[in-house]
Amino acid sequence: MDDEPERLDALTRQAGRWLALSAAPAERHTTAVVAGPYDRVAWRDVYARSAALRELSAQLLTRHAHAPDLLADVFLCAYQAAPRLRERAVMAPSHLVHHQVVTALTQSPDFAPLHRETAGDAYAAAMAVLAQGSALRGLLERSREARERTGRADRARQEAEAAATAVGEALRQAAEEADAQGEVPAPAAAAVRRAAEAAREAEESARREDGAAAQAMAAAVPGIRSAARNAASAAAGAVRQEAALMRAWGVDAGETERMPFEERARLAERLRSGRLARWAELIGRFRQMAAGERARKVEHATGELVGVTLGDDLSRVIPSELAVLGVPELRAVFAARYAAGELMLYDSRGEQGTGKGAVIACVDTSHSMYAEGPGGITREAWSKACALALLDQARHAGRDFVGILFSAADKLQVFRFPGDRPAPVTDVLDFAETFLGGGTDFQRPLGTAAKILEEEFDSASRARGDIVLITDDACEVSENWTRLWNEIKRRLDFRLFGVAIATPDSATASGSVLETLCDNLRTVDDLTDVHTTADLFRVI
């Protein structure tokens, strides 16, 4: 029969199934997440600028040939506002593990809080990918059999499609050799039948490999889901931790989103590894407390109650006067006394209202500030957190802030933050992380602070500045220095607040140097209690 010619239409019917496969092969995608060109550009851009991402990709490539595609899918899940996954049926078998991974990630309980931090933020999404690096390595290792099976299935499917294409080529050759009556020479007809048989065998092999891959994938799914949950949890924790670190240091989300990728990465690393990194929570608590005090701040804070006086300040009316308002017949009398300024008020002796000049924090950085207090918090960490809250306080009031770090007489460093411009976070970190060491001397830092206020008064006519001395020690000051100090203090009308951290009782006793110098002196014994300085932020 092989020597006899055959009709072309009969051959075409026999090979029709393979012709359909070769004419319209099914589209197979290598990305599980549907993404537009802008999303792809965001991924390529962040990948090109992140050495850590490229290093992770290289590590994963030793386990999986399509690792870059997996990283892109994980990034897009975190970056897109509403990530959408393709149907499994349109995925290339070699990338079905990717589909299962991103499916498990998006269904993880930790994905929603993670996504709130990363959506639309390429840097945060990249950080989420890096945070999942370890989990992804383990996941690829555990899914090795499933990936090998799906790889075989992918190759078998490609071979089946190639065999179907060969059928079409053989049939085309047969059509060229057919005579006018549609008779095809026997050799050409035999070639079509051989190609069709090869295509059938390839299709059966692909079907078997698909089944084996499906079984391997089903066996791997529980492990993939567990690993994906761990990965999402790790990423959410890392992203939340960095966001909290940024907030603690006063870096708002808008500022970080405007930062170039490399600058933001360097800043994040510095915040994580800096000297005060472990005290970020304390710094954040101080800033939050200061913000709360600002919200309920009054211009004339009350101090020590010394009696009763007359006036019209409703914030200081004594309870018996307010009781009159409960009697309708006496409300007119209350109104008349209010208009005349004859209401009975609490009389107090306390601090003046908010100053107008610079806020200057003189922070002791002598060796003893290394000492730890309750909770392992160092005196340095507590004092720097307090100083950073004072920086916030000054900025909200539009006042200049100056940080003076001091120890011995020959060790002093000044950091200036003008109130009319943003405070660069790198400069803030330099101030917070600088530690001088040595002994303790008050004269030079306080003299420097007074000189700064004097320069401000001479150039801008701003008086009523505030100096805050934060120290854990006391030292002697000369009589001549004290006289000059009192003279300039009277002339510039500034205030000196003292914060004594875990100092001996003698250092803050009546008549001591600190008690004599400071208008307002408070002692801090519990370094975990940020509210010990709450009243300070109500009057500065």
Side-chain angles (χ1 to χ4, degrees):
M1 180 168 181
D2 287 345
D3 296 333
E4 297 179 2
E6 293 189 36
R7 298 283 301 176
L8 180 61
D9 54 353
L11 288 173
T12 302
R13 286 193 298 274
Q14 293 174 20
R17 180 165 182 265
W18 317 117
L19 288 175
L21 288 175
S22 63
E27 183 180 10
R28 301 291 181 175
H29 292 277
T30 57
T31 55
V33 181
V34 179
Y38 291 108
D39 294 334
R40 294 290 175 192
V41 167
W43 164 246
R44 288 195 295 269
D45 182 58
V46 77
Y47 185 83
R49 290 191 291 163
S50 173
L53 277 177
R54 296 193 298 274
E55 182 180 351
L56 175 60
S57 178
Q59 292 174 357
L60 296 183
L61 274 171
T62 62
R63 294 174 169 82
H64 184 28
H66 305 296
D69 294 334
L70 175 60
L71 293 183
D73 277 331
V74 175
F75 170 85
L76 292 170
C77 273
Y79 179 69
Q80 290 182 335
R84 182 166 59 90
L85 303 188
R86 303 184 192 279
E87 296 294 331
R88 283 177 54 86
V90 301
M91 292 294 297
S94 59
H95 287 66
L96 283 174
V97 169
H98 298 192
H99 191 282
Q100 187 59 54
V101 168
V102 294
T103 298
L105 280 174
T106 55
Q107 293 176 352
S108 169
D110 287 301
F111 180 75
L114 169 66
H115 192 245
R116 282 195 293 271
E117 299 285 351
T118 60
D121 186 338
Y123 173 86
M127 189 179 68
V129 175
L130 292 172
Q132 297 175 77
S134 177
L136 290 174
R137 283 190 288 269
L139 187 151
L140 290 176
E141 191 63 39
R142 287 190 292 272
S143 63
R144 181 188 297 273
E145 182 179 354
R147 288 186 292 107
E148 289 176 351
R149 283 293 187 179
T150 54
R152 292 177 194 169
D154 197 20
R155 291 190 293 273
R157 181 58 55 192
Q158 291 174 9
E159 291 170 0
E161 291 173 356
T165 300
V167 172
E169 179 61 25
L171 193 60
R172 183 190 63 77
Q173 185 65 34
E176 289 180 356
E177 297 182 21
D179 59 19
Q181 286 74 38
E183 295 289 336
V184 177
V192 171
R193 287 196 297 275
R194 287 195 299 273
E197 178 61 21
R200 183 188 65 78
E201 291 176 354
E203 176 66 19
E204 289 179 355
S205 176
R207 191 178 298 111
R208 288 194 299 272
E209 292 294 347
D210 283 344
Q215 291 180 355
M217 181 62 70
V221 163
I224 291 176
R225 287 177 178 167
S226 175
R229 282 195 299 270
N230 293 337
S233 177
V239 171
R240 281 196 301 267
Q241 182 182 26
E242 181 165 310
L245 202 57
M246 292 287 186
R247 286 192 294 269
W249 284 97
V251 185
D252 60 42
E255 184 177 355
T256 55
E257 288 176 7
R258 292 189 297 270
M259 283 184 184
F261 183 90
E262 297 85 350
E263 181 182 343
R264 185 170 173 182
R266 287 194 298 270
L267 173 61
E269 178 59 28
R270 185 175 180 184
L271 292 180
R272 283 193 294 268
S273 59
R275 292 185 62 249
L276 297 179
R278 59 186 292 218
W279 309 125
E281 181 184 356
L282 176 69
I283 293 168
R285 284 167 52 204
F286 253 104
R287 285 182 143 153
Q288 291 171 6
M289 180 270 292
E293 294 302 324
R294 281 195 300 273
R296 57 186 187 138
K297 190 173 184 178
V298 294
E299 180 63 19
H300 296 287
T302 56
E304 179 186 1
L305 296 177
V306 295
V308 176
T309 187
L310 299 180
D312 59 0
D313 186 351
L314 295 178
S315 68
R316 295 189 288 132
V317 174
I318 67 174
S320 60
E321 287 279 31
L322 293 175
V324 171
L325 293 175
V327 183
E329 293 81 0
L330 297 179
R331 289 174 184 169
V333 175
F334 181 92
R337 294 178 61 192
Y338 171 66
E342 296 179 350
L343 293 175
M344 287 190 292
L345 314 175
Y346 283 122
D347 193 12
S348 63
R349 180 174 60 232
E351 296 93 346
Q352 290 178 306
T354 302
K356 303 300 181 183
V359 176
I360 302 179
C362 295
V363 182
D364 187 349
T365 60
S366 60
H367 282 312
S368 58
M369 294 294 282
Y370 269 128
E372 292 187 352
I377 298 173
T378 64
R379 298 172 184 177
E380 179 203 5
W382 195 97
S383 64
K384 295 287 182 62
C386 182
L388 291 176
L390 287 169
L391 167 60
D392 284 353
Q393 195 80 355
R395 300 205 63 76
H396 278 83
R399 301 168 66 183
D400 292 351
F401 176 82
V402 181
I404 299 178
L405 305 180
F406 71 92
S407 56
D410 61 339
K411 293 186 177 181
L412 182 138
Q413 196 161 344
V414 178
F415 296 82
R416 294 175 181 264
F417 299 92
D420 59 354
R421 68 193 71 164
V425 65
T426 51
D427 293 351
V428 174
L429 286 170
D430 288 340
F431 166 62
E433 293 180 345
T434 299
F435 192 87
L436 303 177
T440 305
D441 174 77
F442 289 166
Q443 292 186 183
R444 189 179 176 199
L446 291 178
T448 301
K451 185 176 180 181
I452 291 171
L453 292 178
E454 184 175 29
E455 292 171 351
E456 182 182 46
F457 179 78
D458 292 340
S459 62
S461 299
R462 285 200 300 267
R464 293 181 61 197
D466 292 312
I467 302 174
V468 181
L469 175 64
I470 308 175
T471 182
D472 71 338
D473 202 354
C475 67
E476 295 301 320
V477 294
S478 71
E479 183 177 342
N480 184 56
W481 182 91
T482 303
R483 179 178 56 78
L484 295 174
W485 169 261
N486 290 331
E487 287 178 2
I488 195 171
K489 189 170 183 292
R490 281 193 297 271
R491 183 163 64 85
L492 300 179
D493 191 26
F494 62 77
R495 299 175 294 183
L496 175 61
F497 297 86
V499 180
I501 306 175
T503 55
D505 291 340
S506 59
T508 55
S510 177
S512 67
V513 171
L514 281 174
E515 200 274 338
T516 301
L517 289 176
C518 298
D519 301 292
N520 182 307
L521 176 63
R522 68 213 66 225
T523 301
V524 176
D525 295 317
D526 185 356
L527 300 188
T528 64
D529 183 10
V530 301
H531 295 282
T532 52
T533 56
D535 59 327
L536 187 65
F537 296 94
R538 284 198 293 271
V539 294
I540 289 182

